[in-house]
Each structure stands twice: as C-alpha cells, then as structure tokens.
Amino acid sequence: MLAFVVSAQASDPDAVTPGRAYIYDLAGDQPVILRLAVSGSALVRVRNIGRDSVLTITDVSGTKLGRSAGWRGPEHHYFALIETESEVILTIEPDDPISPPGRIGLYIELLAPDSPLAQAERVMSNASDSNLAFYYGEADTRESALNDFQEAASLFAVAGNNARKADALFEAANVSDILCRRRLAHKLLEEAGSIWSDIDDQRGVAATENLRGLFHWATGNSEASIALFDSAAARRKSMGDDYFYVEAINNLGLVHREKGDSRLAAQYFRDAVEFYQGDVNLLEDEIDLERWKLLPRPPWMNNSLIGLNNLGLAN
C-alpha cells in the first residue's frame, strides 16, 4: 500500500507508507489531499496538532466512502477504516476556516480483515459516519450512532484495545447527551475516564472531566461542574495544552457568571484572552457577536472569540 500527496504543499509528491508518521501543515481553508492505493484493510490515524480537522474518503470518481473527524480537539487523534481493492482519495480539511493555523499528523496501519480489531474498527467507522450525518443535518441517525458506538466499545474490549474502547465510550456519551439520556452519558463517561486513567492518558481524563462538568452545569449542579472544570484546567495546564486549558477556564467563567460572580468570571475570561491574544483580530472579521450573545452555551471551539465575547458580557 502506498499513498502520494497531491496537494500543492509539496512540489514533488511524498510517498507515505504504513508504519511511519507524517506531518502536514493545515492553514486557512486549504485541505491536505492524499491518494492511497489500498488492498485489504487499512486504518488511517489522524492526529490534530493545534487545529480540529475533518477527514473525507472518496473513490477516484468522487463517490464518498466514509468520513471521520477530530472534535476532541487539537493534540488528539481520530481514525478511519478503509476497506477496498482500489485507489481512494483522503481529504483532510480544517473544521473551522477561521481558527489559527495548525498541523495534522498521519499514520497508516495495515489490519488483517478478519481480525477482532478490524471488526471493531468497522463498527466504529459506521458509528462515526452516522454521527456526522446527524451533525451535518443530513439525517437523524443518533440512535444508530449510539448503538454502534456501544457495540464498538464491546468489540474493542474483545480485541484487547482499551484505548479505543475508551474512545468509543466517550463518543457514545456525547450522543447520549444529545439524546438527553444523562444517566447513561454519565455512566459511559465515568467508564471512559477510568480506562484513560488506568492507561495514563491524561488528555482523555481531562476531556471526560470537562464533559462531565458540562453535564453537571446543564442540570444545575454548579459546584460539581466547577470542581471538574478546575481539575480539567489544572491537568491541561500541567501538560502545556493551552487550547483545552482555555476551554476549561472559559467554562469556569461561564459558570461563575451564571452564579452572579461577575468579577471572578471576568478574570477567567481575561485569562482566556491572554492565552489567545494573537487572535484579537478576529473581532475585525464580520462575525455576528449579537448572535453569539444569544447562545445559551457558546460553542467552545473558537476559544479566543468566546473569551472576548464573554469578557464583554461580564463587564
């Protein structure tokens, strides 16, 4: 199996072979495009470095075969399973064209088609595609996504891959929350967090703490959410993970503002701005800040803009 870069980033195509890691710049709205010749099963792993991204897989005629995305954010990975006997095109695009430039890492691993891991990845791929279909408003596929994520978690356990089991549980928890099944979401998150703690994946632990904090905040338990956001912030800061540290302190600002402590809220928002002060120019773009003010819980992905917006609201 061999892949060739056909994007404008390289004057000569770079050969990409299984078992090696590669890094590509991801700036503006320019995608990274790869041509991959597959015979059997191949697992594509994409690691976000400073920027969220979306992977779309098509055949050479442009027919979509699958897709995946990395919305646990920068410095984390996502996967896509490719099973075909022909060439495919991989297109990796920024999820948000106005976010700061970043990079993506690429790793391709060959799988035995009949192996337990390939079977688990197959179900996980179906779940991810169903989840994205709902995200993009194409179909209400939440139930099938939830069922497939849970099935994938069980299959990863059989395959002995606890890290991927935790990934599946975390995604299932997100879908459970969308379906307003908070008790199930909490259970799935706790299980994912326990696995990540056992394998010392501190980013995974912090991700579960932050999401559990959001769940508690949504149900009015602000003290529990503050404790979880505090822990997630401390964990992210110790890892030098500024992107998600900003997310956690931004959430702390939102909760304290809701509690009526505008001074403490403003301090958290100022801290968020300081980490992303290079993005102050976002305010000069044509962004409808009034629309952002109407959102009950602003999306966290543009942390610098959120911090600036919330700072204005807290003063």
Side-chain angles (χ1 to χ4, degrees), residues 121-137:
E121 292 291 356
R122 202 169 288 128
V123 176
M124 187 72 167
S125 181
N126 291 338
S128 298
D129 202 48
S130 295
N131 198 31
L132 287 172
F134 169 72
Y135 177 83
Y136 288 117

Side-chain angles (χ1 to χ4, degrees), residues 26-30 51-54 93-102 282 285 302:
L26 199 61
D29 59 356
Q30 295 301 307
R51 194 169 194 185
D52 290 334
S53 63
V54 178
E93 302 174 275
D95 178 55
D96 179 359
I98 69 169
S99 61
L282 286 175
D285 295 338
N302 292 321

Side-chain angles (χ1 to χ4, degrees), residues 251-263:
N251 287 339
L252 283 166
L254 291 170
V255 177
H256 283 291
R257 187 187 67 188
E258 187 175 87
K259 290 183 64 178
D261 192 343
S262 59
R263 180 172 296 181

Side-chain angles (χ1 to χ4, degrees), residues 246 268-278 280 304 307-308 311:
V246 170
Y268 280 120
F269 295 143
R270 287 191 184 97
D271 289 345
V273 172
E274 287 177 6
F275 269 86
Y276 275 77
Q277 58 185 340
V280 172
S304 58
L308 291 166
L311 179 59

Side-chain angles (χ1 to χ4, degrees), residues 209-228:
E209 288 175 335
N210 190 72
L211 191 54
R212 288 174 60 206
L214 291 172
F215 288 173
H216 281 296
W217 181 31
T219 56
N221 191 346
S222 59
E223 294 306 318
S225 68
I226 287 172
L228 287 162

